[in-house]
Each structure stands twice: as C-alpha cells, then as structure tokens.
Amino acid sequence: MDRAPKTQRGTERRAQILRSAEKVIGEKGFAGASIADITRDAETALGTFYIYFASKEQVFRELVDEMGHLTRTVMAGAAAGAPDRLEAERRGLLAFLRFVAERPSLYRIVEQARFVDPEAYRDYFTRFAAAYRDQLRKAEAAGQISAGDAEVRAWALMGIAKNLGDRFAVWEEPRDLEAVADAAFDMIKRGLAP
Amino acid sequence: MDRAPKTQRGTERRAQILRSAEKVIGEKGFAGASIADITRDAETALGTFYIYFASKEQVFRELVDEMGHLTRTVMAGAAAGAPDRLEAERRGLLAFLRFVAERPSLYRIVEQARFVDPEAYRDYFTRFAAAYRDQLRKAEAAGQISAGDAEVRAWALMGIAKNLGDRFAVWEEPRDLEAVADAAFDMIKRGLAP
DNA sequence: TGAGGACCTGAATAGGGGTTCATGTTTGGC
DNA sequence: GCCAAACATGAACCCCTATTCAGGTCCTCA
C-alpha cells in the first residue's frame, strides 16, 4: 500500500489515528463516528487521516482484522497448556471474556461489521468456526468429548462466548468474570463430556 | 400519539410503510436505508412517511418492539405444551430458528439496535433474560435440571440461539433447522440434565 | 352535494460529513 | 546547511439525506 508510513514519525501518527478510530468508532458506532471526531481525538488535522488511510471503510476493516489477530493470539495462548479439550474450553472462555473486557471497542467494532462490511464479518466468524470445529473433531476422536455435530457445536459455543462477553464484559454491572466463566463451563463440560 | 391513522386507508398506508421499513432497513442497515428508499419500496411519496412516523428512529424502535412481541409470542407458543423444561428448551430453540428464518429482517434490525438505540437493545435482551432465568430457576426447583447459576445459563442459552440463528437461519447455505436444533439440544440437554 | 378533516405529494430546506488539495512544515541524508 | 521527500493542515467541494411545508386530492357525513 502506498499509504504506508516511511518514517518513525509517520508510523507513530498512523498508530495514533488507528487507536482513536478504535475508540471513537467503538463508542459512537461506524455511522456516528466522523473522520473529524477521530482526528480530533488523535489531536491531528482532518486531512492527516487520508495520508494513512484510503477511507473510513479501510480503517474499519483494519480494526476488524486486528481484532481477529488478537483474538486468535489470546485464545491460542490460553489453550496452549491445557491437558485436554474441556480444560481448553474453560481457559479459552475465560481468556475471551477478559480480553473483551479489556478491549470493548474492538469487540463492538466486530459486531458492527455485520452491517458495515458483511463479507469481513462472515469471514471473521467462519474462520473461527472452522478452526473450532476441527478442534472439536480432534477431541472427539481422542475420546475427550462425546460424539456430536462439531459444526453446530462450534457455533453454539461461540454463541455462548459472544453473548456472555456482551452481557458480563462489555455492558456495565460487571461481574466477576471467573465466576461467569465457571458457571457457563459447568454447563458446557457436562454438555460435551464423553 | 397524534400521528395515529384515523381511517382504514391511513391504517393500511401506515402498515405498508412499516413493512417496507422492515425490509429496507433489514437489507441495507439503518444508516444505509434512506426514507426515500423506504417510501419508494412502499410506493408512496416521501412526505407520507412523516404523516405516520415522527422520525427514522421512531419507525426503527417500533420494529424492535414488534420483534419483541413476536418472539415472545412464538416462544410462548412453542413451550406451551412441553412436559418439562428440557423439552421446552428444544421446542423453543427450533421455533426461534424457524422464526428467524422467516423474518430475517426483523432479526437483523434487533442486532442493529445495539448501535442505533442501545437502550432498546439492552431492554430487549434483559427482559428476555429475566424471564428465561426465572424459568430455569423454577425448573431447578422442580428438579428438572441441575443446580447452577440461572442468570449465566440464561445468557449462555440465548447466545446459542442467537448464533445458530445467525449462521443457519439468516446466512445462506441454509441447513435443515430441525437437525441444527437437535444437535445443539443434545449438548444443552446433557449440560442441564439433573 | 359540499364542507371539512384526513391524507398525499415532492420540491425545498437545512445540515452534516467524507474526501480532496493547495499550501505549508518537518525530516533525513549528503 | 540544503534539498527532496514525507508529513501536516483545514478550508472548500460535493453529495447525500432527514425533515418540513405549501399546495393539492380523497372521503365521509350531514
């Protein structure tokens, strides 16, 4: 891309605008956030935005991608040392809730992609679901969980994580995320147990 | 409201515009749908919209409310004859998936409320969750399901329904909804069984 | 049948915001 | 120190659309 920064200064400015975009779009929504809002938050001039990003859509897409990378990293890290799939589920769920609580804006941005960039939204979740499904099939083959439709299960489990994230990590009235994850996992564990 | 129609003709026109709003906002999103798009679809003049609705937000809110009423009706009807909570879960899930497949626009509109009208969105799901939680507590007291955090379980189960609805009822590649509901219910049943 | 309320119309109003660009300013290498 | 490339600026351009309104048409009821 010919808009990539070529100096240290440019790199920092770009990052600064990206962070403000995350914050402002997360708070006010894609449609409600103007470029002026973003550059105001980033304490830079309006036109500077277009030095680093081709359009409002592009910065949005970049944020969705960032959320994808971060979530994959977080989930992989959480599941890394787990002895089996069920324990990986528990750790992954808790890690997801904590991540969402830390970066609510990124979470909200992904949810907006459903309308702003439907293709990106679909790709995002389809990619997760495919990996998830494969994990479940492996676990099933290893006898760690009962037999079942791995595709449906993957989407069901993702739905649990998403909705609990919404309610207990993004909305106010925050609860102890560990307690939430444990309560949900209790149900999941028995639902999947061999 | 002083915009309520007072004749048969007015009632019909209003309903016509409401249906077009559901269709167009569902397809193009709240921000992407213009009043002109809606009235064009309804085959009426632009200004007619404002005879029956005070603003774009108001028609949106009305659609969210409608989805609430319909969903409650559908779920209540589905669970009506169920012998116990688990069977009610299975029937409710299937009924929800079928309803979403029939009225994808209404489903998409509710999801947009997260950004268009956050308060309505919160109220919508909080109301469902409270009722759901109470059902689970009753079932727990009756020994129909195991003990557990009813609040978390309610949100987890709603998450399953939402995400499966998204994937298997709203997106393309439709699958047999009964098979999807059965596969998910198999996990839920064992997750909640006493 | 005709008066008045209900309803319909679409051009005009009013305002917002994405994007561009001409004009500076800063930086890094020589 | 000097210059070319990078970067910064914000007013201006241009398009879009929510909402209004003045001038009609339709329908009911007396």
Side-chain angles (χ1 to χ4, degrees), chain A residues 16-70:
Chain A
Q16 190 179 26
I17 294 172
L18 193 63
R19 289 285 68 77
S20 290
E22 173 187 336
K23 177 182 163 192
V24 175
I25 295 178
E27 279 168 4
K28 309 175 69 164
F30 181 81
S34 68
I35 305 298
D37 290 333
I38 293 168
T39 52
R40 194 178 312 117
D41 187 87
E43 293 177 313
T44 190
L46 209 172
T48 306
F49 178 92
Y50 289 93
I51 294 171
Y52 301 109
F53 302 96
S55 67
K56 197 177 166 186
E57 273 75 18
Q58 194 212 310
V59 77
F60 181 83
R61 245 175 273 130
E62 191 160 327
L63 289 168
V64 172
D65 284 350
E66 191 185 351
M67 178 68 173
H69 290 133
L70 281 173

Side-chain angles (χ1 to χ4, degrees), chain A residues 113-136:
Chain A
R114 184 200 301 263
F115 306 102
V116 175
D117 190 342
E119 200 183 342
Y121 184 79
R122 267 191 69 135
D123 289 352
Y124 181 92
F125 283 106
T126 301
R127 182 170 174 177
F128 268 103
Y132 207 155
R133 181 199 58 207
D134 293 346
Q135 294 286 341
L136 291 174

Side-chain angles (χ1 to χ4, degrees), chain A residues 175-188:
Chain A
R175 283 182 48 168
D176 176 16
L177 295 181
E178 198 148 1
V180 171
D182 283 348
F185 178 66
D186 174 69
M187 184 173 75
I188 293 169

Side-chain angles (χ1 to χ4, degrees), chain B residues 43-55:
Chain B
E43 295 178 311
T44 189
L46 209 173
T48 307
F49 178 91
Y50 290 93
I51 294 172
Y52 301 108
F53 302 97
S55 67

